Amino acid sequence: MIGLDTNVLVRYVAQDDAKQSLKATRLIESLSADAPGYVSIVSIIELVWVLTGCYESTKGEICEVLETLLRTKEIVVAHADTVWKALRLFKEGKADFADCLIERSANEAGCSYTATFDRDAAKYSGMKLVE
């Protein structure tokens, strides 16, 4: 298993740099179920931020990318069950993906709630507003 940094994932998804995208494609397509690529939670969050902020990807496009990563047998996503739960919450509502993942991660860790000062996170992702 090898770790995949966010920039490798971005080059593969965006296909925006001739040299790096070719290398990323070659690397990712060489992975197998026996020798998979590993994607950390941090890389998942960064990938969503980059796709949203730099590439102006739609929510649907982001969901498609994440679903593909999660379903690909040649890719191991850290805490995949929690990422799936966060993705469902993200798809269903207006919450930011990072907020969904923070809330679902805390829930999976046994927290009774996640405290936040972010009103939107409290309203849309199920966190509890600190007042």
Side-chain angles (χ1 to χ4, degrees), residues 22-73:
L22 179 62
K23 290 176 184 179
T25 298
R26 224 182 275 137
L27 173 63
I28 290 174
E29 291 181 359
S30 75
L31 300 171
S32 68
D34 293 329
Y38 175 82
V39 179
S40 72
I41 291 284
V42 174
S43 288
I44 291 290
I45 292 293
E46 286 185 343
L47 177 61
V48 170
W49 282 341
V50 169
L51 292 177
T52 302
C54 297
Y55 296 91
E56 299 179 356
S57 297
T58 66
K59 185 176 191 173
E61 291 167 338
I62 290 168
C63 290
E64 185 178 332
V65 167
L66 294 179
E67 287 172 352
T68 299
L69 283 175
L70 287 161
R71 287 190 175 116
T72 301
K73 63 184 178 194

Side-chain angles (χ1 to χ4, degrees), residues 69-81:
L69 283 175
L70 287 161
R71 287 190 175 116
T72 301
K73 63 184 178 194
E74 296 85 7
I75 302 283
V76 174
V77 175
H79 307 285
D81 289 344

